[in-house]
Amino acid sequence: MPRNIHGKLDNLLKRIADYAERHNPLILDCTDLERVEFAATADLLNGLAPISGQPGAVIRFTEVNYLVMMLFNAMGLKNIATITPRKH
């Protein structure tokens, strides 16, 4: 995942969807992710929902910083993906 997620997510969601076609579970490494714009979280949820709805699909966010994890949980991403916090 990029350092910041904001604005239009069309390109990011396309890359994620393309990657998801070849990988299950879909593991999204958030080691570098520092900030996610509130509105972009809703777009991310809407973009990932069709992927999570596919039979047997698994989505995992790994190494998520605490504030981003709380935002993802509050916005409902926890309902379609596993969110694992950073260990440090």
Side-chain angles (χ1 to χ4, degrees):
M1 297 294 279
R3 184 167 303 284
N4 294 296
I5 298 176
H6 56 87
K8 298 198 68 69
L9 301 186
D10 296 341
N11 290 332
L12 176 62
L13 292 173
K14 169 112 176 65
R15 289 195 326 260
I16 291 171
D18 289 347
Y19 188 79
E21 288 179 9
R22 299 182 312 276
H23 298 88
N24 189 30
L26 171 60
I27 299 174
L28 301 169
D29 182 359
C30 298
T31 301
D32 294 330
L33 182 61
E34 293 180 358
R35 181 182 172 279
V36 180
E37 184 179 78
F38 181 80
T41 306
D43 292 342
L44 189 58
L45 175 62
N46 291 333
L48 291 175
I51 296 169
S52 73
Q54 296 174 4
V58 174
I59 301 172
R60 295 186 185 133
F61 289 92
T62 63
E63 297 297 319
V64 182
N65 77 43
Y66 181 78
L67 291 176
V68 171
M69 184 179 73
M70 291 296 107
L71 177 60
F72 282 1
N73 286 337
M75 293 297 290
L77 279 163
K78 67 180 179 181
N79 298 323
I80 65 166
T82 302
I83 304 168
T84 307
R86 288 184 187 160
K87 293 173 182 62
H88 51 352

